[in-house]
Each structure stands twice: as structure tokens, then as C-alpha cells.
Amino acid sequence: MDIFHIEGPVQLSGSVNINGSKNASLPIMAATILAPGKSTLRAVPYLSDISVCGKLLSQLGCKLTRGQNDELSIDSTVIDNPVGEYEIVRRMRAGICILGPLLARCGRAEVSMPGGCAIGDRPVDIHIRGLRELGAQIHLKNGYIIAEAPNGLKGKDIFLGGPFGSTVLGTANVLMAATLAKGQTIIESAACEPEIADLANCLNKMGAKITGIGSPRLIIKGVKQLQPVEFEVIPDRIEAGTFMIAAAITSSELRLENCRLNDMMAVVDRLRNIGVTVDAENHGCVVTRKCSIKTADITTQPYPGFPTDLQAQFMALLALAEGNSVIIEKIFPDRFMHVAELNRMAANLRKEGPAVIVAGVKKLIAAPVMASDLRASAALVLAGLAAEGTTIVSRVYHIDRGYEKIEERLNPLGAKITRQSI
Ligand code: EPU
């Protein structure tokens, strides 16, 4: 179990290249199940979640090889064990998105129910509902979802909304299954996240017929088969947002290369509103903070709203604002494990149901803190960059799930982070 020692406060400068998106890569890796043969994906980041997903695909029968430049080849010619084991899916909930493609390809799938999660309840009822609508017979046995469609899936008009709006991986599952279903499927209330658009673009490159990409109404005309693909995944908008906040929280200027501002308008809008400059430049942007941080009211929402995956990091930034801010979490109402840890660093945060009142303080003070989930741990690292003294973040394996060697990315910019294995 590694820990980080983060010396602060620091100022950052220089440029950073944004990696390929974790949350686009994971469903696209699952999509290769649909197309027997060897697919080659580019810009797949080196993250522990990607390795875990690779293990899951290997257990199904796929052969994976890493090439140069973040390339990942997946040979899905043979899939002889359509089972997603508990040991893997419990470690990475995105494992659930092999369910739809396995069912479409093999007519049968057994995938473990994911189980508990640090960011709150994360049911998969909508995934199951959507696949049932396509004609799958699904039951639960010994903690596993057993799905069968011996005579194939049939296209249908499906409303896929849930209590919190659309579902990202639920949309991915039903979309992938529908590509090989007989006839036309309409997914209404589909997730519009750029990662789902990227998946749909990849599926179309494989030979699928999907229109409405990026909108809440996806129309899928089923095809008989899909072909292997060469595809480059989009840059990670959450990693980009985290580096933007790193520049803002340290009163610095950073250049981000390979980042799509169009995928991040809600975040850029909030940053500009609180006094951070974000200027588009070539295929990226320059982020600068020169004045004090103003307050903001933020509500997380499905895309194109403010992403829940940047809520914790933004809270660390607003902890230093001049006045009171309010952050309301509308996707995962319990995603606030970072609140108590940031308060250990002299932030003044008060949780009120699914909201946090952030009373700005003049400075953060280093403390030993514990990472609880991926984005919460990113918030602690950001706070550590700005805090006075040496912040010690334990359980950094959480951050390794979604940020590739973050200390090696931040240190050349001026951060002082050391990783210690204990
Ligand atoms: N929901 C249901 N039933 C379902 C599915 C979802 O009620 O069957 C609810 C969830 O409990 C939640 C809301 O719907 O309240 C939205 O959840 P969603 O299904 O969209 O989340 P997800 O697909 O499981 C992905 C990302 C998360 C990100 C969310 C929201 C991946 C691998 N994961 O999860 O990313 O927070 O969408 O944008 O794409 C992260 O990267 O740190 C992360 C947690």
C-alpha cells in the first residue's frame, strides 16, 4: 500500500499532455467482444482499472497485448467462458459492461453483481431492465446475473431513464447489445456523455448502424456482425479538469495539451466564473489563476451538466474561495467521503444531506489524510499542493485507478510529491 508525501504550498508551471479517457476505454474494451478478431485501440491509459478490465477479458478467452504509444490490442476470436467473476467485478464496477456484449455475441452471460461502492449505492437495475426489453431472460443466482438469449436479441423502443436521469454504463450495455439485435432499437433517455459518444463512434467503425450519437435518443439498426477495429479513444476530460484545478488551486499557469474543451463546457464555465482564466490553444488550453477565488454554486448533473467526477476536486478549490459556496450532488448523493478528510486540512465544510456548504478559508494546513475513492483522493492531492506543510495521503491505490502516475506528471510541473511503499 503506497502513500504520498506532498509538500506544499507549491506553484506549478509548464505543460502536461492529457491521456486517453479511462471511462471511454473501459466500455470500448468491452465492445471488442462483439467483433471476433483482433482490434487495436490507441491512447488507452496505463491505469489499474484498465489492467483489471484486461484480466476480465482474458478470463473470457480474449488475448491482450500492449503495443507502443498506449496501444492495446484485443484478440476476441475465441470467447469460450462468458463469465465475469466476482473477484474482478467487485474491484471494478465497470466490469458490468461486458454483460450486454457477451449476451449479444454468445447468447448467454454470467456476470457478478458488482456489490458495494465507496461513492454510494450503485444499482444495476436499469442495465437489467434494458437488456430484458431486448428479449433477454435474466435471473440472479448466487450473486451472479445470469442472462440468456438463446434465439438472439430483438430491437425495441426502450426508455432507459432512472431516478437520477440517464445511466452511463447502462446505456453502454444496452447500446452494445442492440448493435447485434434483430431490427431497430431506440434508446430514449440515453446518456449523452462524450465517453458514450466515443463508444458509439467506435461501434459504427466496427460496422454498427447508430444515429443520434451524443443525444438522449440513440437509434440503432441491428446488423448481423461487427468487424474488428482500429480506434483512438478521446482524451480524458476528468483528468483534464483535475489538472485545470491543480493550476487554479496553486495560483499557477498550466498548459494542457490534447484536451477537448467542448467536452468540458460546464467545468470551464464554473472556472471562469470564479476567476480562473481558461484560454483555448491549438488542441488544448492554458489555465491561469491570478486573482482570489470567487464563490460558486455547483450542482452535479448528467452531461452536459457539471460532472460528479470533478465534484471532490472542485470542493478542494472552493475551500479556498472568498466566501461561502454550495455544492449539491445529484448523481451520487453520498459521494462526500472527502469532506471529513478536507476538514482535517483546515477546510470548513458542512454536509447537509446531498449538499455541502463550503465556507472559504484563507489557507489549508497539511495533515495525514486517507483516500477513500478515486476522485476523493485526487481532491486530497490537490489540497496537498496548496496546503502549508507535508500532507500524507494514504491508500493511494485509489488514485492509481484513474490517474497514471500522477506524481510523475505533477512533479515536473513543480509539485513535490514522493511515493512511499509501506
Ligand atoms: N443508477 C441506477 N440504476 C442503474 C444504474 C445507475 O439507479 O441501473 C443510478 C446510479 O446509482 C447513479 C446514477 O444512476 O445515481 C448514474 O449512474 P451511472 O450509471 O451513470 O454511473 P456508472 O455508469 O456506473 C459512470 C462512470 C463513473 C461516473 C458516473 C456518472 C465509468 C466506468 N464510470 O459510472 O465514473 O461517476 O458514470 O457520470 O464510466 C469515476 O471515474 O471516478 C467514476 C465513478
Side-chain angles (χ1 to χ4, degrees), residues 22-23 122-126 164 167-169 309 331 375:
K22 164 180 89 77
N23 288 351
R122 294 178 71 183
V124 291
D125 55 313
I126 305 173
F164 297 91
T167 153
V168 174
L169 292 177
D309 290 344
I331 308 290
R375 308 303 173 186

Side-chain angles (χ1 to χ4, degrees), residues 9 37 89 113 131 173 221-222 247 262 289 324 338 344 367 389 405 415:
V89 179
M113 285 282 275
L131 294 172
N173 247 331
K221 292 203 165 69
N262 277 350
R289 204 248 299 173
N324 293 345
H338 42 284
R344 301 196 74 245
K405 296 189 182 132

Side-chain angles (χ1 to χ4, degrees), residues 200-278:
N201 286 326
C202 178
L203 289 166
N204 275 353
K205 208 168 173 205
M206 289 172 158
K209 293 199 173 344
I210 304 165
T211 53
I213 294 174
S215 83
R217 170 179 266 236
L218 290 172
I219 303 170
I220 307 116
K221 292 203 165 69
V223 295
K224 286 220 158 58
Q225 57 186 29
L226 297 177
Q227 291 81 43
V229 74
E230 287 195 10
F231 191 79
E232 179 166 336
V233 301
I234 52 170
D236 195 310
R237 65 192 167 105
I238 305 303
E239 184 183 275
T242 305
F243 278 102
M244 286 177 178
I245 297 168
I249 204 167
T250 56
S251 303
S252 304
E253 177 171 299
L254 282 184
R255 175 170 281 103
L256 273 59
E257 278 154 23
N258 187 37
C259 121
R260 305 200 315 179
L261 286 189
N262 277 350
D263 290 349
M264 309 180 59
M265 287 178 69
V267 176
V268 171
D269 175 72
R270 287 296 87 191
L271 282 170
R272 286 182 176 147
N273 268 288
I274 64 170
V276 179
T277 308
V278 182

Side-chain angles (χ1 to χ4, degrees), residues 288-300:
T288 320
R289 204 248 299 173
K290 291 208 172 104
C291 52
S292 56
I293 301 163
K294 298 192 190 75
T295 60
D297 287 349
I298 288 178
T299 302
T300 64

